[in-house]
Amino acid sequence: MIFEIMNITFIIMFISIAFLFKKYYPKEINPVVGYRTRRSMKSQEAWIIANSYSSDLLYRQTIILLIIQIILYFMYGGLVALLGMLGIWILMLVSTIILTESFLKKSGF
């Protein structure tokens, strides 16, 4: 029962964060919130593009994560679904950085 509660809690938290970041990504360069890399903070235009692109990507990946988590839960149970979700979430965050940096580089930043 504890793994089911943790699974539900984590996915609600991840989807909420992704949704909020997609809807309200920071419009001004700042050192606290947003997609912050050297390339994204070079200019205001790069900042907007990076935050918009990464937030859309993160939101789509989180929806995919939900589907994968449901499949894992019904195939293997709560613990495997929880561990799988956390592992995949880390991979998705890393891929978001790689894909966003690649997009910025192609965009000329």
PDB file of all heavy atoms in Angstrom, residues 44-72:
ATOM      1  N   GLN A  44      18.486  37.426 -23.597  1.00  0.00           N
ATOM      2  CA  GLN A  44      17.066  37.293 -23.251  1.00  0.00           C
ATOM      3  C   GLN A  44      16.356  36.367 -24.240  1.00  0.00           C
ATOM      4  O   GLN A  44      15.522  35.561 -23.856  1.00  0.00           O
ATOM      5  CB  GLN A  44      16.403  38.677 -23.229  1.00  0.00           C
ATOM      6  CG  GLN A  44      14.956  38.659 -22.813  1.00  0.00           C
ATOM      7  CD  GLN A  44      14.739  38.203 -21.384  1.00  0.00           C
ATOM      8  OE1 GLN A  44      15.565  38.420 -20.504  1.00  0.00           O
ATOM      9  NE2 GLN A  44      13.618  37.544 -21.145  1.00  0.00           N
ATOM     10  N   GLU A  45      16.717  36.478 -25.515  1.00  0.00           N
ATOM     11  CA  GLU A  45      16.098  35.629 -26.533  1.00  0.00           C
ATOM     12  C   GLU A  45      16.428  34.150 -26.301  1.00  0.00           C
ATOM     13  O   GLU A  45      15.546  33.286 -26.387  1.00  0.00           O
ATOM     14  CB  GLU A  45      16.568  36.058 -27.922  1.00  0.00           C
ATOM     15  CG  GLU A  45      15.882  35.302 -29.041  1.00  0.00           C
ATOM     16  CD  GLU A  45      16.374  35.723 -30.415  1.00  0.00           C
ATOM     17  OE1 GLU A  45      17.309  36.548 -30.515  1.00  0.00           O
ATOM     18  OE2 GLU A  45      15.824  35.210 -31.392  1.00  0.00           O
ATOM     19  N   ALA A  46      17.681  33.860 -25.998  1.00  0.00           N
ATOM     20  CA  ALA A  46      18.078  32.478 -25.710  1.00  0.00           C
ATOM     21  C   ALA A  46      17.345  31.959 -24.477  1.00  0.00           C
ATOM     22  O   ALA A  46      16.929  30.796 -24.432  1.00  0.00           O
ATOM     23  CB  ALA A  46      19.590  32.394 -25.501  1.00  0.00           C
ATOM     24  N   TRP A  47      17.193  32.815 -23.482  1.00  0.00           N
ATOM     25  CA  TRP A  47      16.489  32.446 -22.249  1.00  0.00           C
ATOM     26  C   TRP A  47      15.042  32.031 -22.535  1.00  0.00           C
ATOM     27  O   TRP A  47      14.579  30.997 -22.069  1.00  0.00           O
ATOM     28  CB  TRP A  47      16.531  33.615 -21.268  1.00  0.00           C
ATOM     29  CG  TRP A  47      15.782  33.384 -20.007  1.00  0.00           C
ATOM     30  CD1 TRP A  47      14.527  33.822 -19.705  1.00  0.00           C
ATOM     31  CD2 TRP A  47      16.227  32.661 -18.855  1.00  0.00           C
ATOM     32  NE1 TRP A  47      14.173  33.418 -18.448  1.00  0.00           N
ATOM     33  CE2 TRP A  47      15.197  32.701 -17.907  1.00  0.00           C
ATOM     34  CE3 TRP A  47      17.399  31.976 -18.553  1.00  0.00           C
ATOM     35  CZ2 TRP A  47      15.302  32.085 -16.669  1.00  0.00           C
ATOM     36  CZ3 TRP A  47      17.506  31.361 -17.325  1.00  0.00           C
ATOM     37  CH2 TRP A  47      16.468  31.415 -16.394  1.00  0.00           C
ATOM     38  N   ILE A  48      14.350  32.845 -23.311  1.00  0.00           N
ATOM     39  CA  ILE A  48      12.947  32.563 -23.646  1.00  0.00           C
ATOM     40  C   ILE A  48      12.844  31.261 -24.435  1.00  0.00           C
ATOM     41  O   ILE A  48      12.012  30.399 -24.139  1.00  0.00           O
ATOM     42  CB  ILE A  48      12.317  33.729 -24.446  1.00  0.00           C
ATOM     43  CG1 ILE A  48      12.246  35.000 -23.588  1.00  0.00           C
ATOM     44  CG2 ILE A  48      10.947  33.348 -24.993  1.00  0.00           C
ATOM     45  CD1 ILE A  48      11.286  34.931 -22.435  1.00  0.00           C
ATOM     46  N   ILE A  49      13.689  31.109 -25.447  1.00  0.00           N
ATOM     47  CA  ILE A  49      13.659  29.905 -26.278  1.00  0.00           C
ATOM     48  C   ILE A  49      13.970  28.672 -25.438  1.00  0.00           C
ATOM     49  O   ILE A  49      13.278  27.656 -25.539  1.00  0.00           O
ATOM     50  CB  ILE A  49      14.641  30.040 -27.460  1.00  0.00           C
ATOM     51  CG1 ILE A  49      14.110  31.073 -28.450  1.00  0.00           C
ATOM     52  CG2 ILE A  49      14.867  28.700 -28.144  1.00  0.00           C
ATOM     53  CD1 ILE A  49      15.097  31.447 -29.532  1.00  0.00           C
ATOM     54  N   ALA A  50      15.000  28.726 -24.620  1.00  0.00           N
ATOM     55  CA  ALA A  50      15.406  27.577 -23.809  1.00  0.00           C
ATOM     56  C   ALA A  50      14.324  27.183 -22.811  1.00  0.00           C
ATOM     57  O   ALA A  50      14.010  26.000 -22.651  1.00  0.00           O
ATOM     58  CB  ALA A  50      16.705  27.881 -23.076  1.00  0.00           C
ATOM     59  N   ASN A  51      13.751  28.156 -22.137  1.00  0.00           N
ATOM     60  CA  ASN A  51      12.731  27.847 -21.141  1.00  0.00           C
ATOM     61  C   ASN A  51      11.444  27.352 -21.786  1.00  0.00           C
ATOM     62  O   ASN A  51      10.791  26.446 -21.266  1.00  0.00           O
ATOM     63  CB  ASN A  51      12.473  29.053 -20.242  1.00  0.00           C
ATOM     64  CG  ASN A  51      13.495  29.150 -19.151  1.00  0.00           C
ATOM     65  OD1 ASN A  51      13.385  28.501 -18.123  1.00  0.00           O
ATOM     66  ND2 ASN A  51      14.536  29.931 -19.380  1.00  0.00           N
ATOM     67  N   SER A  52      11.074  27.918 -22.899  1.00  0.00           N
ATOM     68  CA  SER A  52       9.880  27.464 -23.605  1.00  0.00           C
ATOM     69  C   SER A  52      10.067  26.036 -24.123  1.00  0.00           C
ATOM     70  O   SER A  52       9.219  25.170 -23.913  1.00  0.00           O
ATOM     71  CB  SER A  52       9.580  28.409 -24.767  1.00  0.00           C
ATOM     72  OG  SER A  52       8.502  27.938 -25.512  1.00  0.00           O
ATOM     73  N   TYR A  53      11.186  25.781 -24.782  1.00  0.00           N
ATOM     74  CA  TYR A  53      11.468  24.460 -25.348  1.00  0.00           C
ATOM     75  C   TYR A  53      11.588  23.405 -24.252  1.00  0.00           C
ATOM     76  O   TYR A  53      10.973  22.343 -24.335  1.00  0.00           O
ATOM     77  CB  TYR A  53      12.754  24.525 -26.180  1.00  0.00           C
ATOM     78  CG  TYR A  53      13.099  23.219 -26.837  1.00  0.00           C
ATOM     79  CD1 TYR A  53      12.514  22.855 -28.041  1.00  0.00           C
ATOM     80  CD2 TYR A  53      14.007  22.345 -26.252  1.00  0.00           C
ATOM     81  CE1 TYR A  53      12.827  21.654 -28.654  1.00  0.00           C
ATOM     82  CE2 TYR A  53      14.324  21.136 -26.853  1.00  0.00           C
ATOM     83  CZ  TYR A  53      13.735  20.795 -28.049  1.00  0.00           C
ATOM     84  OH  TYR A  53      14.039  19.594 -28.648  1.00  0.00           O
ATOM     85  N   SER A  54      12.376  23.691 -23.220  1.00  0.00           N
ATOM     86  CA  SER A  54      12.594  22.688 -22.168  1.00  0.00           C
ATOM     87  C   SER A  54      11.320  22.403 -21.384  1.00  0.00           C
ATOM     88  O   SER A  54      11.075  21.261 -20.998  1.00  0.00           O
ATOM     89  CB  SER A  54      13.721  23.118 -21.229  1.00  0.00           C
ATOM     90  OG  SER A  54      13.369  24.274 -20.501  1.00  0.00           O
ATOM     91  N   SER A  55      10.489  23.406 -21.170  1.00  0.00           N
ATOM     92  CA  SER A  55       9.256  23.174 -20.417  1.00  0.00           C
ATOM     93  C   SER A  55       8.266  22.334 -21.223  1.00  0.00           C
ATOM     94  O   SER A  55       7.611  21.444 -20.671  1.00  0.00           O
ATOM     95  CB  SER A  55       8.621  24.495 -19.988  1.00  0.00           C
ATOM     96  OG  SER A  55       8.223  25.259 -21.096  1.00  0.00           O
ATOM     97  N   ASP A  56       8.171  22.581 -22.524  1.00  0.00           N
ATOM     98  CA  ASP A  56       7.314  21.746 -23.369  1.00  0.00           C
ATOM     99  C   ASP A  56       7.816  20.302 -23.391  1.00  0.00           C
ATOM    100  O   ASP A  56       7.036  19.357 -23.278  1.00  0.00           O
ATOM    101  CB  ASP A  56       7.267  22.286 -24.802  1.00  0.00           C
ATOM    102  CG  ASP A  56       6.431  23.532 -24.936  1.00  0.00           C
ATOM    103  OD1 ASP A  56       5.605  23.814 -24.038  1.00  0.00           O
ATOM    104  OD2 ASP A  56       6.595  24.241 -25.948  1.00  0.00           O
ATOM    105  N   LEU A  57       9.110  20.147 -23.558  1.00  0.00           N
ATOM    106  CA  LEU A  57       9.721  18.824 -23.589  1.00  0.00           C
ATOM    107  C   LEU A  57       9.505  18.089 -22.271  1.00  0.00           C
ATOM    108  O   LEU A  57       9.115  16.916 -22.253  1.00  0.00           O
ATOM    109  CB  LEU A  57      11.212  18.959 -23.891  1.00  0.00           C
ATOM    110  CG  LEU A  57      12.011  17.692 -24.127  1.00  0.00           C
ATOM    111  CD1 LEU A  57      11.442  16.918 -25.309  1.00  0.00           C
ATOM    112  CD2 LEU A  57      13.467  18.051 -24.378  1.00  0.00           C
ATOM    113  N   LEU A  58       9.737  18.756 -21.176  1.00  0.00           N
ATOM    114  CA  LEU A  58       9.563  18.150 -19.854  1.00  0.00           C
ATOM    115  C   LEU A  58       8.114  17.724 -19.628  1.00  0.00           C
ATOM    116  O   LEU A  58       7.849  16.651 -19.097  1.00  0.00           O
ATOM    117  CB  LEU A  58      10.011  19.132 -18.765  1.00  0.00           C
ATOM    118  CG  LEU A  58      10.037  18.612 -17.341  1.00  0.00           C
ATOM    119  CD1 LEU A  58      11.042  17.492 -17.197  1.00  0.00           C
ATOM    120  CD2 LEU A  58      10.364  19.743 -16.384  1.00  0.00           C
ATOM    121  N   TYR A  59       7.177  18.541 -20.055  1.00  0.00           N
ATOM    122  CA  TYR A  59       5.764  18.214 -19.886  1.00  0.00           C
ATOM    123  C   TYR A  59       5.400  16.963 -20.693  1.00  0.00           C
ATOM    124  O   TYR A  59       4.764  16.036 -20.169  1.00  0.00           O
ATOM    125  CB  TYR A  59       4.889  19.393 -20.315  1.00  0.00           C
ATOM    126  CG  TYR A  59       3.428  19.172 -20.052  1.00  0.00           C
ATOM    127  CD1 TYR A  59       2.913  19.211 -18.766  1.00  0.00           C
ATOM    128  CD2 TYR A  59       2.559  18.902 -21.095  1.00  0.00           C
ATOM    129  CE1 TYR A  59       1.570  19.003 -18.518  1.00  0.00           C
ATOM    130  CE2 TYR A  59       1.213  18.701 -20.860  1.00  0.00           C
ATOM    131  CZ  TYR A  59       0.726  18.746 -19.576  1.00  0.00           C
ATOM    132  OH  TYR A  59      -0.604  18.534 -19.339  1.00  0.00           O
ATOM    133  N   ARG A  60       5.834  16.902 -21.951  1.00  0.00           N
ATOM    134  CA  ARG A  60       5.550  15.720 -22.778  1.00  0.00           C
ATOM    135  C   ARG A  60       6.200  14.469 -22.195  1.00  0.00           C
ATOM    136  O   ARG A  60       5.589  13.402 -22.166  1.00  0.00           O
ATOM    137  CB  ARG A  60       6.024  15.952 -24.208  1.00  0.00           C
ATOM    138  CG  ARG A  60       5.084  16.854 -24.993  1.00  0.00           C
ATOM    139  CD  ARG A  60       5.479  16.990 -26.437  1.00  0.00           C
ATOM    140  NE  ARG A  60       6.409  18.124 -26.514  1.00  0.00           N
ATOM    141  CZ  ARG A  60       7.531  18.125 -27.210  1.00  0.00           C
ATOM    142  NH1 ARG A  60       7.873  17.099 -27.921  1.00  0.00           N
ATOM    143  NH2 ARG A  60       8.310  19.185 -27.221  1.00  0.00           N
ATOM    144  N   GLN A  61       7.418  14.604 -21.729  1.00  0.00           N
ATOM    145  CA  GLN A  61       8.111  13.459 -21.146  1.00  0.00           C
ATOM    146  C   GLN A  61       7.421  12.977 -19.869  1.00  0.00           C
ATOM    147  O   GLN A  61       7.382  11.782 -19.593  1.00  0.00           O
ATOM    148  CB  GLN A  61       9.568  13.805 -20.854  1.00  0.00           C
ATOM    149  CG  GLN A  61      10.404  13.943 -22.093  1.00  0.00           C
ATOM    150  CD  GLN A  61      11.829  14.339 -21.771  1.00  0.00           C
ATOM    151  OE1 GLN A  61      12.122  14.929 -20.739  1.00  0.00           O
ATOM    152  NE2 GLN A  61      12.740  14.018 -22.673  1.00  0.00           N
ATOM    153  N   THR A  62       6.875  13.887 -19.113  1.00  0.00           N
ATOM    154  CA  THR A  62       6.192  13.519 -17.869  1.00  0.00           C
ATOM    155  C   THR A  62       4.919  12.733 -18.169  1.00  0.00           C
ATOM    156  O   THR A  62       4.588  11.792 -17.450  1.00  0.00           O
ATOM    157  CB  THR A  62       5.877  14.765 -17.031  1.00  0.00           C
ATOM    158  OG1 THR A  62       7.106  15.458 -16.777  1.00  0.00           O
ATOM    159  CG2 THR A  62       5.261  14.393 -15.704  1.00  0.00           C
ATOM    160  N   ILE A  63       4.215  13.093 -19.223  1.00  0.00           N
ATOM    161  CA  ILE A  63       3.030  12.329 -19.623  1.00  0.00           C
ATOM    162  C   ILE A  63       3.447  10.912 -20.037  1.00  0.00           C
ATOM    163  O   ILE A  63       2.807   9.926 -19.666  1.00  0.00           O
ATOM    164  CB  ILE A  63       2.267  13.045 -20.764  1.00  0.00           C
ATOM    165  CG1 ILE A  63       1.789  14.429 -20.317  1.00  0.00           C
ATOM    166  CG2 ILE A  63       1.114  12.190 -21.268  1.00  0.00           C
ATOM    167  CD1 ILE A  63       0.892  14.446 -19.103  1.00  0.00           C
ATOM    168  N   ILE A  64       4.534  10.805 -20.781  1.00  0.00           N
ATOM    169  CA  ILE A  64       5.060   9.489 -21.161  1.00  0.00           C
ATOM    170  C   ILE A  64       5.448   8.705 -19.916  1.00  0.00           C
ATOM    171  O   ILE A  64       5.189   7.502 -19.810  1.00  0.00           O
ATOM    172  CB  ILE A  64       6.250   9.635 -22.128  1.00  0.00           C
ATOM    173  CG1 ILE A  64       5.771  10.217 -23.459  1.00  0.00           C
ATOM    174  CG2 ILE A  64       6.954   8.301 -22.348  1.00  0.00           C
ATOM    175  CD1 ILE A  64       6.877  10.677 -24.378  1.00  0.00           C
ATOM    176  N   LEU A  65       6.065   9.378 -18.956  1.00  0.00           N
ATOM    177  CA  LEU A  65       6.447   8.738 -17.698  1.00  0.00           C
ATOM    178  C   LEU A  65       5.232   8.166 -16.982  1.00  0.00           C
ATOM    179  O   LEU A  65       5.293   7.060 -16.443  1.00  0.00           O
ATOM    180  CB  LEU A  65       7.171   9.735 -16.789  1.00  0.00           C
ATOM    181  CG  LEU A  65       7.573   9.238 -15.410  1.00  0.00           C
ATOM    182  CD1 LEU A  65       8.607   8.135 -15.511  1.00  0.00           C
ATOM    183  CD2 LEU A  65       8.108  10.383 -14.577  1.00  0.00           C
ATOM    184  N   LEU A  66       4.136   8.881 -16.980  1.00  0.00           N
ATOM    185  CA  LEU A  66       2.903   8.399 -16.351  1.00  0.00           C
ATOM    186  C   LEU A  66       2.446   7.097 -17.001  1.00  0.00           C
ATOM    187  O   LEU A  66       2.098   6.131 -16.300  1.00  0.00           O
ATOM    188  CB  LEU A  66       1.804   9.453 -16.456  1.00  0.00           C
ATOM    189  CG  LEU A  66       0.402   9.023 -16.029  1.00  0.00           C
ATOM    190  CD1 LEU A  66       0.377   8.649 -14.556  1.00  0.00           C
ATOM    191  CD2 LEU A  66      -0.610  10.112 -16.331  1.00  0.00           C
ATOM    192  N   ILE A  67       2.475   7.041 -18.308  1.00  0.00           N
ATOM    193  CA  ILE A  67       2.060   5.834 -19.031  1.00  0.00           C
ATOM    194  C   ILE A  67       2.983   4.667 -18.697  1.00  0.00           C
ATOM    195  O   ILE A  67       2.522   3.554 -18.406  1.00  0.00           O
ATOM    196  CB  ILE A  67       2.021   6.107 -20.545  1.00  0.00           C
ATOM    197  CG1 ILE A  67       0.926   7.134 -20.850  1.00  0.00           C
ATOM    198  CG2 ILE A  67       1.807   4.820 -21.336  1.00  0.00           C
ATOM    199  CD1 ILE A  67       1.003   7.744 -22.221  1.00  0.00           C
ATOM    200  N   ILE A  68       4.286   4.927 -18.705  1.00  0.00           N
ATOM    201  CA  ILE A  68       5.254   3.876 -18.368  1.00  0.00           C
ATOM    202  C   ILE A  68       5.049   3.399 -16.934  1.00  0.00           C
ATOM    203  O   ILE A  68       5.098   2.195 -16.656  1.00  0.00           O
ATOM    204  CB  ILE A  68       6.697   4.372 -18.580  1.00  0.00           C
ATOM    205  CG1 ILE A  68       6.966   4.589 -20.061  1.00  0.00           C
ATOM    206  CG2 ILE A  68       7.712   3.395 -17.989  1.00  0.00           C
ATOM    207  CD1 ILE A  68       8.266   5.304 -20.359  1.00  0.00           C
ATOM    208  N   GLN A  69       4.810   4.331 -16.026  1.00  0.00           N
ATOM    209  CA  GLN A  69       4.603   3.971 -14.624  1.00  0.00           C
ATOM    210  C   GLN A  69       3.370   3.080 -14.459  1.00  0.00           C
ATOM    211  O   GLN A  69       3.401   2.106 -13.718  1.00  0.00           O
ATOM    212  CB  GLN A  69       4.462   5.213 -13.764  1.00  0.00           C
ATOM    213  CG  GLN A  69       4.309   4.884 -12.299  1.00  0.00           C
ATOM    214  CD  GLN A  69       4.030   6.106 -11.465  1.00  0.00           C
ATOM    215  OE1 GLN A  69       3.668   7.145 -11.969  1.00  0.00           O
ATOM    216  NE2 GLN A  69       4.195   5.965 -10.172  1.00  0.00           N
ATOM    217  N   ILE A  70       2.294   3.385 -15.154  1.00  0.00           N
ATOM    218  CA  ILE A  70       1.082   2.570 -15.071  1.00  0.00           C
ATOM    219  C   ILE A  70       1.351   1.163 -15.595  1.00  0.00           C
ATOM    220  O   ILE A  70       0.956   0.164 -14.978  1.00  0.00           O
ATOM    221  CB  ILE A  70      -0.077   3.249 -15.839  1.00  0.00           C
ATOM    222  CG1 ILE A  70      -0.518   4.506 -15.089  1.00  0.00           C
ATOM    223  CG2 ILE A  70      -1.255   2.284 -16.024  1.00  0.00           C
ATOM    224  CD1 ILE A  70      -1.465   5.396 -15.871  1.00  0.00           C
ATOM    225  N   ILE A  71       2.061   1.073 -16.719  1.00  0.00           N
ATOM    226  CA  ILE A  71       2.403  -0.235 -17.280  1.00  0.00           C
ATOM    227  C   ILE A  71       3.261  -1.028 -16.300  1.00  0.00           C
ATOM    228  O   ILE A  71       2.998  -2.206 -16.034  1.00  0.00           O
ATOM    229  CB  ILE A  71       3.112  -0.068 -18.641  1.00  0.00           C
ATOM    230  CG1 ILE A  71       2.134   0.479 -19.676  1.00  0.00           C
ATOM    231  CG2 ILE A  71       3.718  -1.390 -19.101  1.00  0.00           C
ATOM    232  CD1 ILE A  71       2.779   0.937 -20.971  1.00  0.00           C
ATOM    233  N   LEU A  72       4.297  -0.388 -15.750  1.00  0.00           N
ATOM    234  CA  LEU A  72       5.157  -1.073 -14.778  1.00  0.00           C
ATOM    235  C   LEU A  72       4.376  -1.523 -13.549  1.00  0.00           C
ATOM    236  O   LEU A  72       4.606  -2.620 -13.032  1.00  0.00           O
ATOM    237  CB  LEU A  72       6.310  -0.162 -14.350  1.00  0.00           C
ATOM    238  CG  LEU A  72       7.420   0.076 -15.355  1.00  0.00           C
ATOM    239  CD1 LEU A  72       8.413   1.109 -14.819  1.00  0.00           C
ATOM    240  CD2 LEU A  72       8.130  -1.220 -15.695  1.00  0.00           C
TER     241      LEU A  72
END
